[in-house]
Structure formats: structure tokens, C-alpha cells
């Protein structure tokens, strides 16, 4: 795991040869219990690092295609698994909590439901008003420039565009940590606005 743009945020990645981009996971270290988001498999070093930072209490999965290694990590740690409420009927693993649009997961972390993506209830997360964490719909294949999931993967392009524009209208976003591609550590709002205008 590598420290990100804040001392309480860490990330680890896995290169996907088929798409030629990195997949990412995020750890938020916080009082009251650490939060893992879309956790990829962890190396022994990462597990040791995680334990040195206080372990994990909550795992948040942004969509049913990002289950990744959540079940194994939850079984090892006893963490509560949270996932999109609109995917409850088809979610591939047991969850203890289902998340709704606008819901505060823990203090400082809010879920926003996205429509039209490749799964029915994908979530984007906003951390303390300034860091956006995305799953699949909003991505970054070229450093510094956000893009949307390819049209062929969308269930409803018009709804997806509306969802992206809604997220772009949020105020205060500085950083965008995408699930797929390059992170944008500064000027995230500007990148979101450029993406919204291009759609």
C-alpha cells in the first residue's frame, strides 16, 4: 500500500493487461474503524501494513463488478461489508449493510448513486467533501483527463451522462480517485467539468 494525497489515505493497485490500465483500491484510516473501498487482493506486505494501521472495520463495494477480494478480507478480519442497495437482489456475496443515495456511510463518507452504468446501483463516494472515489462509470485512461465507461458497457447512456453531470456539479472536489486508470490528485473539479461538457 502507498500513501496517497492525505496522511490518512492509502492505496494499492493491480495492472490489468486486457485494458492496459491499473485497477485501484483505497484504505481510509480513521478513528472509529478503518474503511476499505473495492479491495483488490493484498500481498503479505499489504496485509502487514493494514494491520499496522489498525486493520479494517468496514468494506465498501461500489458495484457488483468490484467485489474483488472483499469476501476473503471480510472473513479474515470480521469487517462489515456494505454495498449498493439497488444491487441487493443480484449481489454476488453476503452483505451486512445496503447503501442508498445520499447516505452517510460513516461520518465524512457519503454515497451517491449513479444510474445507467453497467450495474444497476453503482455508487460514487465523497470523502470529507473533497475527495471523490469512483468505481466504474467515471475513469481515467489518460493521465489528467477523466472519461466515462464505454457506451457498449452502459445500460442507459442518457442516464449515465446525467449521473456524471450530477457528480460534476458537486462543490469542493479536489481529488478524484478512480477505480480504473490514473488518479487525479489536484484540480479534480476541473477534470469533472471537462468530462461533463464533453458528453
Amino acid at each position: 500500500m502507498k500513501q496517497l494525497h492525505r496522511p490518512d489515505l492509502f492505496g494499492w493497485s493491480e495492472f490489468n493487461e486486457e485494458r492496459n490500465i491499473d485497477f485501484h483500491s483505497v484504505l481510509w484510516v480513521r478513528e472509529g474503524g478503518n474503511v476499505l473501498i473495492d479491495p483488490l487482493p493484498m500481498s503479505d506486505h499489504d496485509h502487514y501494513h493494514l494491520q499496522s494501521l489498525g486493520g479494517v472495520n468496514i468494506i465498501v463495494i461500489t458495484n457488483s463488478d468490484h467485489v474483488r477480494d472483499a469476501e476473503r478480507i471480510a472473513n479474515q478480519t470480521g469487517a462489515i461489508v456494505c454495498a449498493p442497495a439497488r444491487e441487493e437482489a443480484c449481489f454476488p456475496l453476503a452483505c451486512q449493510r445496503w447503501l442508498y443515495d445520499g447516505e452517510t456511510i460513516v461520518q465524512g463518507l457519503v454515497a451517491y448513486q449513479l444510474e445507467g452504468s453497467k450495474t444497476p446501483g453503482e455508487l460514487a463516494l465523497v470523502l470529507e467533501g473533497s475527495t471523490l472515489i469512483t468505481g466504474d462509470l467515471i475513469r481515467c485512461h489518460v493521465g489528467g483527463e477523466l472519461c466515462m465507461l464505454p457506451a457498449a458497457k452502459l445500460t442507459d447512456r442518457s442516464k449515465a451522462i446525467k449521473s456524471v453531470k450530477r457528480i460534476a456539479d458537486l462543490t469542493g472536489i479536489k481529488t478524484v480517485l478512480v477505480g480504473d486508470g490514473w488518479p487525479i490528485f489536484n484540480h479534480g473539479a476541473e477534470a469533472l467539468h471537462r468530462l461533463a461538457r464533453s458528453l
Side-chain angles (χ1 to χ4, degrees), residues 177-195:
L177 301 178
V178 297
D180 301 350
W182 295 97
I184 296 179
F185 292 117
N186 289 293
H187 308 293
E190 292 90 330
L192 284 165
H193 293 152
R194 286 195 301 272
L195 171 59

Side-chain angles (χ1 to χ4, degrees), residues 45-63:
H45 180 270
D46 288 334
H47 276 291
Y48 179 80
H49 194 179
L50 176 63
Q51 293 309 310
S52 74
L53 292 168
V56 57
N57 289 63
I58 297 173
I59 296 172
V60 179
I61 303 170
T62 59
N63 68 80

Side-chain angles (χ1 to χ4, degrees), residues 9 23 42 71-72 102 132 168 187 191:
L9 284 181
F23 293 161
M42 304 179 83
E71 186 171 23
R72 187 171 70 88
L132 173 68
H187 308 293

Side-chain angles (χ1 to χ4, degrees), residues 36-39 59-68 70-71 81-84 91 93 95 99 123:
L36 280 183
I37 299 166
D38 290 347
I59 296 172
V60 179
I61 303 170
T62 59
N63 68 80
S64 54
D65 284 346
H66 276 208
V67 168
R68 298 171 168 178
E71 186 171 23
V81 179
C82 308
F91 210 74
L93 66 93
C95 295
L99 302 173
L123 301 173

